[in-house]
Amino acid sequence: CLNFYDIFIKGANPESSPAFIQTPGIEFMFTQAFATSYFRHVTGGCTPEGSQLIKPDFSNTNAVQAYQSTMPFSLQYYCRGMVDEEFSCETINHPEPLIPWKSLNSDSASYWLSWPNMTPQSDQQYWAAYSGHISSDQVTDVLAQRFIEGLFCSINPTGSLTTTEILSETRQASYLFHPMIPRITESILNEMCAEANVNEQGVVVVLNEGPLQDIYKGLSPAIPQPCVTGDEPHCDKGATSTGTYPFCNHAAVLLECDIPNNVYKFWTWAKVLELGKEIIVANETTEIGGSMCSFMVGKPSGGKQAPLDPTPCDPGVCQLYCDIDDSQKPDTTVSESIGVGEGTGIGSTIAATPFEPDSDVDTDETNKEDDATITGEPSATDGATSASVSCFGYMCLLQGACFW
């Protein structure tokens, strides 16, 4: 608590007494419970540590930030956990600037850019495969396998494309297909402003925390620039070959907007902070840049929902993981093993093939082995473990946004 006060509350002006201090207690317990519940929801299990809070010495900051990379979909989960069936929880994430595949429609792209049912370990394995550091048969995390299979189905539902053809389009893209690349334009922001500050509604935005931190500390916020050298504002020494803007790493409430006076108010860290559009919106031509990535809007809907529906594979078609269950079913938890053909790498020249289930597999025994894998316990058959799923992180939604 002392560290939190010294760094985030007192800040650069120690003589000013804040009107309100965000007390950790009940909020930390509330958000930790939601984080733990979310990972239990998507994995079917949880490590003994549960969901870690930020430690007093900030030694687990990277772990917490890794958790927050899964935010878009978990925000929907949190929202649905706090409202009744008369409310909707809708994700708006403007996928168009990031779509490298001609066959992927916007609805499907929005779904996959919400990072559905992913954990930090899943995220890590997906990017290792995406970047070519590992082949698809080295992807052992079930949720990462499910994500890859589902994404490839939406790109190639008929199975007519080879993996190489899909990846050829990927390599020609200017930007990664990544949920944390800022891409919200002024027109989209203003649409969200119309949803904010309305009774019984809430708008949560995923954004880069850097400009908000500047304001919090009494500094003038710097306009985000591409991270070419890594020394640009808020790039944290992270240079990128494509000059990607500082990634989104925070969630805050979009409280209200005074558009004529260029004042956009956010609630986070127990304070109201103001930013101008020049800091937060993307370039109108490229639709990339600024500091915002997506929104989650919770509002009364009379029971009508706006789910993101990705295109599935046609019947009988699969991509890389042909023993997979329904990768696009939101409430599915990990319950069966997923097999990969020998030597099948993401970069291999293979066409999608029909799924032929193995009638000799003992389902009960398979499920027992996977239950052990989920919790990081050795499998009874080979003594090995796949990537274990850790539950950690901290998020404080709606009433105060997030701590880190």
Side-chain angles (χ1 to χ4, degrees):
C1 289
L2 180 61
N3 280 352
F4 178 79
Y5 178 82
D6 285 343
I7 296 175
F8 293 106
I9 299 295
K10 188 169 62 176
N13 190 9
E15 295 182 358
S16 65
S17 177
F20 172 72
I21 297 177
Q22 184 177 14
T23 53
I26 195 69
E27 287 191 82
F28 283 17
M29 289 187 287
F30 176 80
T31 52
Q32 182 184 11
F34 260 116
T36 302
S37 174
Y38 175 68
F39 284 125
R40 175 66 177 83
H41 171 72
V42 300
T43 67
C46 191
T47 59
E49 297 88 350
S51 175
Q52 297 174 9
L53 301 175
I54 290 181
K55 296 180 179 179
D57 61 357
F58 299 96
S59 60
N60 66 332
T61 295
N62 289 338
V64 174
Q65 289 180 331
Y67 156 70
Q68 291 187 344
S69 70
T70 68
M71 278 192 295
F73 204 75
S74 63
L75 285 176
Q76 270 202 336
Y77 176 78
Y78 298 162
C79 175
R80 288 172 179 155
M82 289 188 284
V83 300
D84 62 29
E85 60 186 12
E86 293 299 310
F87 284 71
S88 65
C89 299
E90 182 178 359
T91 295
I92 295 92
N93 59 17
H94 189 41
E96 287 80 9
L98 302 182
I99 301 175
W101 308 285
K102 299 182 184 69
S103 55
L104 186 66
N105 62 48
S106 293
D107 287 346
S108 293
S110 284
Y111 177 80
W112 296 112
L113 281 173
S114 74
W115 238 228
N117 302 318
M118 293 286 268
T119 67
Q121 287 75 16
S122 311
D123 180 85
Q124 184 179 30
Q125 287 209 359
Y126 168 77
W127 286 114
Y130 184 96
S131 61
H133 290 94
I134 62 175
S135 60
S136 63
D137 56 336
Q138 294 174 297
V139 177
T140 57
D141 183 277
V142 180
L143 296 174
Q145 291 177 338
R146 221 182 249 165
F147 184 95
I148 293 169
E149 180 69 15
L151 174 60
F152 273 44
C153 274
S154 292
I155 296 168
N156 183 31
T158 65
S160 60
L161 301 174
T162 67
T163 308
T164 297
E165 289 172 323
I166 295 172
L167 292 180
S168 176
E169 288 187 275
T170 306
R171 296 187 189 99
Q172 295 174 29
S174 300
Y175 299 96
L176 294 174
F177 187 74
H178 193 295
M180 297 306 177
I181 291 181
R183 59 192 182 278
I184 299 300
T185 62
E186 182 179 358
S187 59
I188 297 173
L189 172 61
N190 290 344
E191 289 176 14
M192 294 300 98
C193 285
E195 303 279 5
N197 198 30
V198 176
N199 189 37
E200 294 189 326
Q201 293 191 183
V203 178
V204 177
V205 57
V206 178
L207 75 171
N208 180 273
E209 69 172 6
L212 291 174
Q213 285 275 18
D214 288 343
I215 293 291
Y216 200 100
K217 297 173 183 177
L219 306 174
S220 297
I223 296 176
Q225 301 293 329
C227 300
V228 177
T229 66
D231 293 326
E232 296 82 3
H234 317 309
C235 290
D236 297 327
K237 302 298 181 182
T240 59
S241 59
T242 57
T244 302
Y245 282 77
F247 275 18
C248 294
N249 56 4
H250 188 64
V253 175
L254 178 61
L255 195 61
E256 60 179 308
C257 312
D258 181 352
I259 296 174
N261 291 312
N262 190 27
V263 176
Y264 297 83
K265 296 182 179 181
F266 301 86
W267 170 258
T268 186
W269 302 311
K271 296 188 75 172
V272 176
L273 303 174
E274 299 178 356
L275 292 173
K277 67 181 182 181
E278 65 278 2
I279 302 295
I280 52 182
V281 301
N283 180 287
E284 287 293 331
T285 301
T286 64
E287 299 185 320
I288 294 290
S291 54
M292 296 190 300
C293 292
S294 64
F295 299 91
M296 193 285 299
V297 181
K299 63 181 179 180
S301 64
K304 295 180 180 179
Q305 302 296 321
L308 297 173
D309 293 320
T311 302
C313 270
D314 289 352
V317 175
C318 79
Q319 306 291 326
L320 296 175
Y321 305 102
C322 294
D323 294 336
I324 198 168
D325 61 351
D326 187 353
S327 65
Q328 297 165 8
K329 185 176 179 182
D331 294 326
T332 299
T333 55
V334 179
S335 61
E336 63 183 73
S337 71
I338 297 173
V340 185
E342 180 68 27
T344 303
I346 280 187
S348 302
T349 306
I350 58 171
T353 56
F355 167 38
E356 297 180 2
D358 184 352
S359 59
D360 296 332
V361 174
D362 186 324
T363 304
D364 290 339
E365 195 62 36
T366 301
N367 286 342
K368 288 177 183 177
E369 292 171 10
D370 287 322
D371 286 340
T373 298
I374 292 166
T375 56
E377 297 172 2
S379 166
T381 55
D382 59 12
T385 60
S386 77
S388 61
V389 176
S390 297
C391 300
F392 46 63
Y394 168 73
M395 182 73 65
C396 173
L397 183 67
L398 295 180
Q399 291 303 111
C402 62
F403 170 47
W404 187 255

